[in-house]
Amino acid sequence: TTLLYTIKFELAKMSELERLMPVAYRRLLELQQLVESYGRGDESVLNHIIGLQEQLAADCDRLDILVRKEPPQKRHNSKYRFDQLMYESRALSDSLQRYRHQISNKEQERMEREELLNRDFTANDNSDTILALDAALSFNEKVSHSDRGLDALLDTGAQALKQLREQRSSLSMIKNRMASVANILGLSTTVMKLIERRSAHDQYLFYIGCCGTVTIMFLLLYFVL
């Protein structure tokens, strides 16, 4: 009971953004697993995938509004996590479209093969049959070639997106390092100014001490002699 009360208390302290962001990421992970299953040929998960996509889209719309309302000191981190979520969601949508396109092409090729196998041929129209078969084979070859071209374009786009993501991570690391170096340089500048100020004070004290010592020696000589 105490543990349950503690959990409820912690959840009550969390903002809507902090509660919704993990939910959206869990849905994204589940969606990724379902898309991979669909790509392996399990077409029964398609309706579940579509439902999850709609829920995730609604979560992203709400998160976009919440991120804009975040305080300035928290907005940068929240915006980064939201951008990552949107990037992964779009990548999964692209993968799903590619898988659906491949399955559609395979189904079309299967239907064309069945149509060719089930077509009735007669002995009196050999030339027409040969021409029709040649046209069907030519069309099938063009469709297969177009399919391979689209797959190549999609793979190239996926690689480009992956490289952009890696470059973004590298730029973020460089930005953080530059910020650290700038902080260190700012601290070093402050320390140098303090050292210079201390040196100037030490010079003043030295001159004052010299003047005081000479004055005391002069007075001693004056009164002794």
Side-chain angles (χ1 to χ4, degrees), residues 20-116:
L20 185 57
M21 187 71 75
V23 173
Y25 268 99
R26 284 196 298 269
R27 285 177 177 164
L28 180 67
L29 181 60
E30 184 180 359
L31 182 61
Q32 181 179 7
Q33 295 172 350
L34 291 174
V35 169
E36 291 176 354
S37 298
Y38 183 76
R40 291 192 294 266
D42 186 5
E43 300 184 25
S44 62
V45 299
L46 182 58
N47 291 332
H48 194 185
I49 289 175
I50 295 174
L52 267 180
Q53 281 184 321
E54 294 176 353
Q55 293 176 357
L56 185 59
D59 291 342
C60 290
D61 291 340
R62 181 58 182 166
L63 285 171
D64 188 21
I65 297 174
L66 295 176
V67 168
R68 297 176 188 274
K69 294 181 179 180
E70 277 287 276
Q73 62 272 18
K74 295 182 179 181
R75 189 179 303 158
H76 177 73
N77 186 35
S78 300
K79 184 69 167 56
Y80 176 77
R81 295 177 62 193
F82 175 71
D83 290 341
Q84 289 292 110
L85 177 66
M86 291 296 297
Y87 175 83
E88 296 291 343
S89 177
R90 293 192 185 100
L92 283 177
S93 296
D94 293 339
S95 298
L96 178 61
Q97 290 296 331
R98 184 168 66 254
Y99 289 144
R100 296 185 70 174
H101 181 72
Q102 292 174 354
I103 292 173
S104 177
N105 287 336
K106 290 179 180 179
E107 181 64 19
Q108 183 178 358
E109 292 176 0
R110 184 187 64 79
M111 291 175 63
E112 290 175 354
R113 285 195 299 269
E114 290 181 356
E115 183 181 356
L116 290 174

Side-chain angles (χ1 to χ4, degrees), residues 183-199:
N183 292 332
I184 293 173
L185 289 176
L187 181 60
S188 301
T189 303
T190 304
V191 173
M192 291 297 295
K193 289 180 179 179
L194 291 175
I195 293 174
E196 292 177 356
R197 189 179 301 172
R198 179 62 183 273
S199 299

Side-chain angles (χ1 to χ4, degrees), residues 4-23:
L4 182 60
Y5 176 77
T6 304
I7 293 174
K8 289 183 178 180
F9 180 74
E10 293 296 329
L11 289 175
K13 292 196 306 181
M14 295 172 62
S15 64
E16 184 180 358
L17 176 65
E18 292 173 340
R19 293 194 300 269
L20 185 57
M21 187 71 75
V23 173

